[in-house]
Amino acid sequence: MNIHTIATHLNQLQDATETGFNFDCTPIDGDIDVLQVEIIGREEIPIFLSVSDNQILCIAYLWGEDEVKADLKANMIEAMLEMNIPMPLSSFAKVEDKYVVFGALSINSSLDDIELEIVTLSDNSLEVISEMDTYLK
Amino acid sequence: MSIFKKIITAVRGGAREAGEAVVDANATRIFEQEIRDSEKHITIAKRDLTEVMAKQMQAARELAQLQTSIKEHEGYALQALEQGNEALAIEIAEKIGELESNLADQQQANESYLKSADRLKELIKKSERQLTDYKRQLSMVKTTDSVQKATSAITDNFSASNSKLLSAKDSLERIKQKQANFDDKLKAAEQLESESGDSSLKAKLQEAGIGAQQSSAQSILDRLKTK
């Protein structure tokens, strides 16, 4: 599995989509291959997908440290830990100064599984932002 | 220091230069070499184990043969004694002594093969656990590295395209707005369809009694009567 196979699959889905969404994928240049997946209508929160030796990582960036109300940070982190298991397919994490939700899939996942992962991750990130906005400036 | 600790320290330190990896590439290569070496050792140990087990089976077979042979000769010795042939009986007894000494040797060999096999099995299990652990740790290093590289690619891409990173709340607001616009458009389209569409014209014609009329029971009866 590589990002180009995934991009080709998602871009050509149109009406054949399993999830009811359309996608716009753009590979990003860099040290490793990263695919930026935009769900049509939700372009503001893209999903970034990278493929390594043994897994496929999908990441959605939620907000930066600078957007968090400093006095509520501990509460926010606790809420994230508590929500980690109930939240389907995705988990909370932090990359540098950004809070993220991510999902890791086996390298042997089917393209349908990947599509489902991306859409679920997107749903989760929208829900997280809307439910956790009390912690944000 | 464990890999886990190393990653935590490196990530939390935050003082890394741009492009500096959590665990340098050379260390990763050494680690990969260690994994390949362990895999090789396990293969060799498994081959050794097969050989030892084969030898042990052979020893067990010989042991059984010797035991049967001893029993046989004991029978012969008794027969010779019954015939009063003391000389022959002594000769047979000497043979039995020889066989018993062989038996002791084989027993020892058999036990030592069994012990070696157990030791090798334990060693293989231990090495396999170690290997799984090495692989898990390497995967942690590689994933940390690839997430960092991905993040820097994403960040570069944002600054290159001059797109302003929206705050989470603004992004959500825009997405909701788009969804609302879409829903409104859908509703408007439906309304338009029902107002100006075919269906509304037909209804009006029907009402005015123009065009094809629905046949009522009365009209069918009237038609029949005129025949």
Side-chain angles (χ1 to χ4, degrees), chain A residues 32 43-44 53 62 67 95, chain B residues 142-143 146 151 167-168 172 178:
Chain A
I32 64 160
E43 289 82 353
E44 285 78 4
D53 288 355
L62 294 173
E67 291 175 58
V95 179
Chain B
K142 284 193 161 176
T143 306
S146 95
T151 308
S167 79
L172 183 68
K178 263 188 273 189

Side-chain angles (χ1 to χ4, degrees), chain A residues 28-32 34 36 41-46 48 50 52-55 57 59 61-63 67 95-96 98 126 129-130 133 136-137, chain B residues 11 16 32 135 139 142-143 145-158 165-172 174-176 178-179:
Chain A
I28 292 176
D29 286 337
D31 273 349
I32 64 160
V34 178
Q36 176 171 343
R42 299 176 171 182
E43 289 82 353
E44 285 78 4
I45 304 176
F48 295 96
S50 62
S52 69
D53 288 355
N54 51 7
Q55 60 180 356
L57 270 181
I59 300 179
Y61 290 79
L62 294 173
W63 51 75
E67 291 175 58
V95 179
E96 290 171 8
K98 296 237 174 354
L126 296 189
I129 297 173
S130 99
D133 67 344
L136 303 177
K137 284 176 190 165
Chain B
V11 171
R16 277 172 301 104
E32 282 173 321
K135 283 184 175 167
S139 146
K142 284 193 161 176
T143 306
D145 193 44
S146 95
V147 169
Q148 277 180 341
K149 283 180 178 156
T151 308
S152 91
I154 292 159
T155 317
D156 290 352
N157 184 59
F158 266 118
L165 263 172
L166 291 167
S167 79
K169 279 182 173 179
D170 290 344
S171 299
L172 183 68
R174 283 208 197 184
I175 292 170
K176 276 188 178 162
K178 263 188 273 189
Q179 186 61 45

Side-chain angles (χ1 to χ4, degrees), chain B residues 90-104:
Chain B
I90 286 209
E91 213 173 304
I92 297 169
E94 275 167 4
K95 176 71 182 169
I96 292 175
E98 209 176 292
L99 288 171
E100 278 179 345
S101 134
N102 272 353
L103 183 78

Side-chain angles (χ1 to χ4, degrees), chain B residues 56-68:
Chain B
Q56 185 271 323
M57 280 191 270
Q58 216 175 341
R61 237 182 350 254
E62 274 176 38
L63 211 59
Q65 267 169 7
L66 282 170
Q67 276 160 344
T68 328

Side-chain angles (χ1 to χ4, degrees), chain B residues 2 8 43-44 73 87 97 103 110 114 120 167 177 179 188 196 214:
Chain B
S2 78
I8 289 178
T43 315
I44 293 171
H73 281 84
L103 183 78
N110 189 45
L114 278 174
L120 278 170
S167 79
Q177 192 56 52
Q179 186 61 45
S196 67
Q214 271 177 349

Side-chain angles (χ1 to χ4, degrees), chain B residues 25-39:
Chain B
N26 204 31
T28 310
R29 265 195 298 279
I30 292 171
F31 210 38
E32 282 173 321
Q33 186 58 46
E34 272 175 28
I35 288 175
R36 275 195 295 275
D37 286 349
S38 317
E39 276 171 334

